[in-house]
Amino acid sequence: MDGYISYAQATAGQAEALETAIPRIEAQVRALAADDALTDVGPLFLGIGASLAATAPAVWHLRERGITAWRLDAGDTPLPLATGAHPVIGVSQSGRSSETIAALNTIPSSLRYGVVNTVPSPLSELATRLVGLGTIPDSYASTIGYTATVVAVSMLAEAWAGGDIDPAWRDFAALFRETEDMLAPQIDRAAALVASAPSLDFVGAGPSTGSAEAGALLFREVARIPASAMGTRQYLHGSMESAGEGAHVLFGGDREHRVARTLSDAGHRVVLVTTDDVDGAEHLETVRLPRSSATARAVLEALFLQGLVARVADVRGVDIEEFVFHNDDTKVDATVESGVAQ
């Protein structure tokens, strides 16, 4: 665990870390815009694991603005990448994700962008244009690294093709702190409902799809509970049929409200995370988030997930800092110099 801080330390200092990181990130994004690096040609976000999940709200925002954009699992495509003239934004909190580095290295240097926490790192050296989060100390199961990445890719999406960065980011740390206090009792109630579940489904719509993915990953990593993630519509097309004894965490609006009610009325345990006023019920715990932009809401959804998984791990007697399996080929050596494809 060298180079990492504890999960408790990372979450306790997260608001302060975001308060420091947000203006640093904004300055870099504005510099890229001033350099005409955020063109009318939409980007492809490239990542794996939590880094890939973090890009979902940015892609949604760009598409909502009519800009072609998508995200790609770096380990799920043949190389070299076939992306045409689209800029490719490699996202890796450590800057050492082997799959992302290998894929980014197959495209022309002029199209290589990066969003990285650790600088210098192999990915930061490979990217021609870079947004660095500031080498923020992070936990092994990423917390602040994840939320700061969501901020960075969201600001890129907002500024892309002549767009404007949402000024609300400048006061976001204060909103984050308020939400921390507001969520504490809600997290306790949600944990009491789902802690004994043998499995979990995480379901989200649109920009919250990434929160569902991040939630499933966190619960597998931190609480060691089998978990899956799906978009709402995908969930409704058959996957919902095997609700079983597991619990369900839903993110979203009207459609997710109805799914939550359908599941809870059938006796299934449900946590609904929403910005709307929705009453709870037997088997249904409603978690209310403050209203914000879709991109900012993804950070608040992550805040809830981080608190929930820590509480569930504690109830189940799982040590957050201990991982069961360690693979030696998912990260490259930090001292390795990456080759450059021209």
Side-chain angles (χ1 to χ4, degrees):
M1 292 264 312
D2 289 347
Y4 294 97
I5 60 175
S6 73
Y7 191 93
Q9 287 175 308
T11 51
Q14 191 163 202
E16 183 178 353
L18 283 171
E19 190 169 38
T20 301
I22 286 172
R24 179 193 299 123
I25 293 167
E26 181 177 357
Q28 294 174 80
V29 173
R30 289 194 181 279
L32 289 173
D35 196 34
D36 294 325
L38 309 183
T39 68
D40 291 337
V41 181
L44 180 151
F45 292 90
L46 181 71
I48 200 160
S51 293
L52 181 64
T55 66
V59 170
W60 184 269
H61 178 85
L62 284 162
R63 290 176 175 173
E64 201 168 38
R65 290 177 54 203
I67 299 169
T68 299
W70 68 107
R71 59 191 181 120
L72 183 65
D73 183 330
D76 214 18
T77 184
L79 302 181
L81 284 181
T83 58
H86 291 275
V88 178
I89 304 174
V91 182
S92 172
Q93 292 156 49
S94 67
R96 295 172 50 220
S97 297
S98 57
E99 301 88 352
T100 305
I101 291 167
L104 196 66
N105 196 37
T106 66
I107 65 170
S109 60
S110 61
L111 298 178
R112 287 193 221 120
Y113 293 56
V115 173
V116 179
N117 183 26
T118 304
V119 179
S121 61
L123 197 149
S124 72
E125 294 172 3
L126 188 62
T128 301
R129 295 180 173 92
L130 183 71
V131 175
L133 308 184
T135 314
I136 308 167
D138 196 12
S139 46
Y140 197 39
S142 182
T143 49
I144 177 58
Y146 178 80
T147 52
T149 297
V150 174
V151 172
V153 295
S154 296
M155 282 191 183
L156 280 169
E158 290 166 1
W160 204 273
D164 296 319
I165 295 175
D166 188 346
W169 284 118
R170 295 172 190 173
D171 299 317
F172 182 74
L175 177 63
F176 190 92
R177 288 189 178 95
E178 293 170 9
T179 307
E180 276 185 309
D181 293 338
M182 184 180 72
L183 283 178
Q186 300 183 73
I187 286 171
D188 286 342
R189 293 193 298 270
L193 185 65
V194 306
S196 63
S199 64
L200 287 159
D201 286 344
F202 290 85
V203 180
S208 294
T209 304
S211 296
E213 294 169 1
L217 177 59
L218 261 183
F219 271 76
R220 284 179 170 271
E221 284 184 329
V222 172
R224 298 181 198 161
I225 301 174
S228 59
M230 278 165 276
T232 302
R233 291 293 166 177
Q234 187 77 357
Y235 192 60
L236 295 176
H237 280 266
S239 296
M240 186 176 170
E241 293 303 309
S242 60
E245 297 299 317
H248 312 266
V249 180
L250 309 178
F251 301 90
D254 290 344
R255 194 64 187 95
E256 289 70 36
H257 302 172
R258 283 184 280 156
V259 175
R261 187 69 63 179
T262 298
L263 286 166
S264 61
D265 285 349
H268 299 290
R269 291 172 282 183
V270 183
V271 175
L272 173 64
V273 184
T274 183
T275 59
D276 301 325
D277 286 320
V278 180
D279 292 333
E282 187 177 7
H283 309 300
L284 172 61
E285 183 65 39
T286 299
V287 174
R288 174 76 185 275
L289 295 177
R291 292 190 180 276
S292 61
S293 68
T295 47
R297 186 174 68 246
V299 182
L300 301 180
E301 289 170 347
L303 170 62
F304 166 72
L305 288 168
Q306 292 167 7
L308 180 64
V309 76
R311 188 74 186 92
V312 169
D314 182 60
V315 170
R316 294 172 72 105
V318 177
D319 185 349
I320 290 177
E321 309 303 337
E322 293 294 328
F323 275 42
V324 178
F325 302 107
H326 298 273
N327 299 299
D328 62 5
D329 62 348
T330 61
K331 305 292 182 187
V332 301
D333 190 324
T335 63
V336 171
E337 293 186 7
S338 302
V340 177
Q342 300 298 332

